[in-house]
Amino acid sequence: MTTTKIHFTDDHIGLAHGAGGKASRRLIEGLLVPYLVDGAPTELNDAAYLDVNGSRLAVTADSFVVKPLVFPGGSIGELAVNGTVNDLAMGGAKSLALLSTLILEAGLATSELEREVAAMARAAQRAGVSVVGGDTKVVEHGKADGMFITTAGIGLTDPRVHLSGQNVRPGDQVILSGPIGDHGITVLLARGELDLEADLTSDTRPLWPFVSALIDAAAPGLRWMRDPTRGGVATALNELARDAKVAVVLDEEAIPVRSTVRGACEILGMDPLHIANEGQFLAIVSPDYADVALESITRTPGGEGARRIGEIQEAPKRVVLARSRYGGTRVVDMLVGDPLPRIC
């Protein structure tokens, strides 16, 4: 992301500052970057890069505070591993090792801790990465909702790709790896706060197998990737449109959304494009590589739902538009506020 001069003037931190939308970006660019980043970075991605002896390493860190700890299709331990290896994968990097810090609440049952440590181990094995170290802290009862997990990762970037929003050009195609909104709606329903039921599970999974196949098939045409977690597809593409100074035009009918997710969103007054995902990703690919790129994802087990959902255009700059089946268009804004807190 290209930074601009933003002054953070909010008096207090709210849940919206952690939702991944406009408030999060204002906090990062207006308060964190000016103090913590040496010089103005050209981009702020999920992973940072280090050039070491001819190799390009990717490093990342993430924290997980999901409530409840266990939900259909996953849990906080699995989420912590998948989320971190996916941040590296979106930078074109295969994970080499992880570090994990556990913040435990006094009174947490040992059986719950063991369950989540085992979930982390299974997820790490599935992703082909080792947890090589970490730390453990315990806080007073009532201060951590059971446990929080912070995970850091390091990976080796594939030399065939150099992913950046600065590479994106008009005519490039937008590819989505599968149905959106499953994770956010699943966690919301798992809380039992709404009188809604749906046969739905989280999409949490490691994304490297899809990215590896995509690089093999279309590396010269691969411009940019992002997993649309907090803030959803709408926020990720708005950040791209702003940083690359282009328009992203989506074909709304082509965007895969399960009927249960669409129905829940209609009842709750939310846009599926704003709902978080933990096992999907967006890829911007040059038009001459779009067909082979999409085929590489759909041929990877679990990627059958991938679709081409839109195109990069010259104008209107810094805007995301969604074109309906009737030919009309609407502006798709970045997430404002925090309709679904504590989902990852």
Side-chain angles (χ1 to χ4, degrees):
M1 293 186 294
T2 302
T3 57
T4 56
K5 288 186 177 180
I6 296 175
H7 299 287
F8 186 75
T9 58
D10 298 7
D11 292 329
H12 300 91
I13 298 300
L15 287 172
H17 293 114
K22 285 186 175 179
S24 294
R25 183 149 180 159
R26 195 168 65 247
L27 171 65
I28 293 169
E29 295 189 16
L31 195 151
L32 303 184
V33 167
Y35 280 103
L36 300 178
V37 179
D38 185 15
T42 55
E43 295 187 45
L44 291 175
N45 295 314
D46 288 337
Y49 300 102
L50 303 172
D51 292 319
V52 181
N53 296 330
S55 297
R56 195 171 195 233
L57 300 177
V59 294
T60 189
D62 206 344
S63 295
F64 298 85
V65 297
V66 64
K67 179 183 178 182
L69 297 178
V70 179
F71 45 84
S75 67
I76 189 172
E78 183 178 0
L79 201 61
V81 171
N82 288 343
T84 304
V85 300
N86 289 348
D87 282 347
L88 295 172
M90 293 301 99
K94 186 180 189 305
S95 297
L96 296 175
L98 302 181
L99 298 168
S100 184
T101 293
L102 304 176
I103 307 295
L104 307 178
E105 178 185 353
L108 175 70
T110 302
S111 59
E112 290 188 70
L113 174 59
E114 185 174 10
R115 179 195 65 212
E116 292 313 312
V117 173
M120 293 179 70
R122 287 194 301 271
Q125 184 177 27
R126 183 183 179 190
V129 64
S130 298
V131 180
V132 297
D135 190 21
T136 303
K137 294 289 190 301
V138 179
V139 299
E140 297 91 340
H141 181 69
K143 302 295 185 183
D145 274 341
M147 70 169 67
F148 299 149
I149 301 177
T150 293
T151 308
I154 185 168
L156 182 63
T157 303
D158 192 300
R160 291 172 291 178
V161 293
H162 189 102
L163 304 173
S164 169
Q166 305 304 315
N167 300 333
V168 173
R169 299 288 181 269
D172 287 350
Q173 302 294 296
V174 184
I175 293 175
L176 174 63
S177 64
I180 60 172
D182 291 7
H183 177 74
I185 296 300
T186 295
V187 173
L188 177 66
L189 296 180
R191 291 174 184 166
E193 298 170 353
L194 301 172
D195 189 20
L196 295 174
E197 293 184 1
D199 183 16
L200 193 64
T201 61
S202 169
D203 59 5
T204 180
R205 58 180 177 173
L207 292 173
W208 177 251
F210 305 98
V211 173
S212 178
L214 182 57
I215 292 174
D216 287 343
L222 188 55
R223 314 286 205 199
W224 174 93
M225 289 192 296
R226 181 69 57 82
D227 53 339
T229 53
R230 296 171 304 165
V233 168
T235 297
L237 291 179
N238 266 282
E239 290 181 347
L240 173 65
R242 173 177 154 174
D243 298 338
K245 301 180 180 59
V246 296
V248 181
V249 181
L250 301 175
D251 178 0
E252 200 152 25
E253 286 298 303
I255 300 171
V257 184
R258 299 187 200 281
S259 59
T260 47
V261 170
R262 191 179 300 281
C265 287
E266 289 176 353
I267 292 172
L268 298 170
M270 295 187 293
D271 188 337
L273 292 171
H274 286 144
I275 306 301
N277 313 273
E278 289 292 339
Q280 306 298 348
F281 69 100
L282 293 155
I284 305 298
V285 184
S286 64
D288 47 337
Y289 280 90
D291 288 341
V292 294
L294 180 60
E295 183 183 3
S296 72
I297 299 173
T298 57
R299 293 182 64 177
T300 303
E304 299 82 1
R307 298 288 184 274
R308 192 186 315 202
I309 64 167
E311 183 177 285
I312 303 299
Q313 295 188 0
E314 183 79 30
K317 296 185 185 302
R318 300 182 178 86
V319 173
V320 177
L321 299 173
R323 183 183 298 122
S324 74
R325 69 168 72 178
Y326 306 108
T329 57
R330 67 181 176 98
V331 174
V332 179
D333 200 1
M334 190 179 289
L335 176 67
V336 178
D338 189 10
L340 301 176
R342 304 280 301 276
I343 56 171
C344 60

